[in-house]
Amino acid sequence: MDTMASPAPAALEVAGIHKNFETFSALRDVNLCVAPGEMLCFLGPSGCGKTTLLRIIAGLEVQTGGRIVQNGRDISWLPPEQRDYGIVFQSYALFPNLTVADNVGYGLVNGKLRKPEIRARVQELLQLVGLPESGGKYPSQLSGGQQQRVALARALAARPGLLLLDEPLSALDALERVRLRDEIRQLQKQVGITAIMVTHDQEEALSMADRIVVMNHGQIEQVGTPMDIYERPATPFVADFVGKVNVLHGQALGGKRFRVGSMEIECPSCDGHFERGQGVSLYLRPEDRLAQHLPADTPHRLDALVTRVEFLGGLCIAEVTSEALDGQRLGLQFSLNQMHDLGLCEGRRIDIALRAQRIRVFASPSQARP
Ligand SMILES: Nc1ncnc2c1ncn2[C@@H]1O[C@H](COP(=O)(O)OP(=O)(O)OP(=O)(O)O)[C@@H](O)[C@H]1O
Ligand SMILES: [Mg+2]
């Protein structure tokens, strides 16, 4: 488990948080540090505790144990209204009977600002989220994406120190989701606000986060940059959950060497220790193959049969099997151009090599094959 603190002083610290719902343990010993201006994504499958953790940070849920410290202030037991954050939910949660401008300015009316200042701030925020003309409209007159922009403007209105977002994009259609995720990220950087976003969409997390917190069953599996998480997953769960991956079953031969079928594979980036003969799982990403102009001495080379081609647009997945791997299947990624160049189609044999330096090795949960 990697829960190392980031080097900058923390904008938010989550220390030893756990949460029980009666006998059910929803969060266990969660520790995190968020750096100022950082965008953190909580990523994990449904029910893993993402929302519960966010709600505890917001004071909307009370932790069973542990502490939340924001900029050095212990806020663990403060009610939500005494904490310093803005929040956006999945459902737009705007007041339907208030105009867009009144929604955005809602949190400002009882503050220190006078009416003209509130008006100016609201206009500034609407400009910021690309809706400068929509102040007089009502939420029902806006699209889902526009409503979410208004919710974002409302969350930022009082210049909070922390922006919390719980699946803000998941109610939107695919195109709007991508557009708004770019906008949110840009805006977050522009404003310089520390942000935590919950998502179960790996692509969203990979594209938006400075660091991703991968959660599973109420615990943190790994914290790291998107590249770390994708290239150096710390656990089989992370490797499986983030990105596509092939799992080859084999045995340890000692050192960094492994056997899969009749093939010996040297995995230089393997950092675990495995007993000789121990069952292992080798995790290989679909893009980690060589297929064109292979020199004769290319290591980890094999002859494979294409059993299926999945056309996905600019990228395709070719499913292949090879006797050398004991018939274990691999899904390999090719660009459409490569697919044409190689004449990839069902029934075709191809000459490929595994990029073994990219393989991650984990102990096999089950016994290795004979
Ligand atoms: N008020 C509650 N009472 C009892 N159990 C709860 C309560 N709130 C959440 N849980 C349980 O805690 C676990 C974590 O829930 P949570 O909503 O945090 O998951 P999540 O990761 O946000 O999932 P999703 O992606 O589906 O939103 C779930 O098993 C859920 O059923
Ligand atoms: Mg949730």
Side-chain angles (χ1 to χ4, degrees), residues 180-258:
L180 194 53
R181 89 178 178 207
D182 292 345
E183 281 181 36
I184 291 178
R185 177 59 166 152
Q186 230 179 347
L187 209 116
Q188 179 263 334
K189 279 186 177 168
Q190 189 183 337
V191 177
I193 191 170
T194 308
I196 300 178
M197 187 175 101
V198 165
T199 178
H200 60 257
D201 181 326
Q202 43 157 309
E203 195 183 293
E204 221 165 87
L206 289 171
S207 76
M208 293 178 77
D210 289 307
R211 286 187 306 151
I212 298 176
V213 178
V214 184
M215 298 175 63
N216 186 26
H217 292 308
Q219 282 182 307
I220 293 178
E221 290 261 336
Q222 188 174 3
V223 183
T225 64
M227 198 79 92
D228 274 341
I229 298 282
Y230 186 80
E231 294 196 317
R232 289 173 292 282
T235 64
F237 173 83
V238 175
D240 266 328
F241 192 76
V242 182
K244 290 200 166 109
V245 75
N246 295 290
V247 184
L248 291 169
H249 300 285
Q251 285 164 306
L253 295 176
K256 294 175 188 286
R257 290 183 310 118
F258 303 90

Side-chain angles (χ1 to χ4, degrees), residues 139-161:
S140 61
Q141 296 172 287
L142 301 180
S143 72
Q146 289 170 329
Q147 289 186 56
Q148 215 47 331
R149 287 176 176 85
V150 174
L152 190 63
R154 185 177 62 181
L156 293 172
R159 303 182 197 277

Side-chain angles (χ1 to χ4, degrees), residues 3 25 59 67 134 150 157 183 188 228 248 269 312 318:
T3 52
S25 167
R67 289 186 318 136
S134 299
V150 174
E183 281 181 36
Q188 179 263 334
D228 274 341
L248 291 169
S269 61
L312 298 169

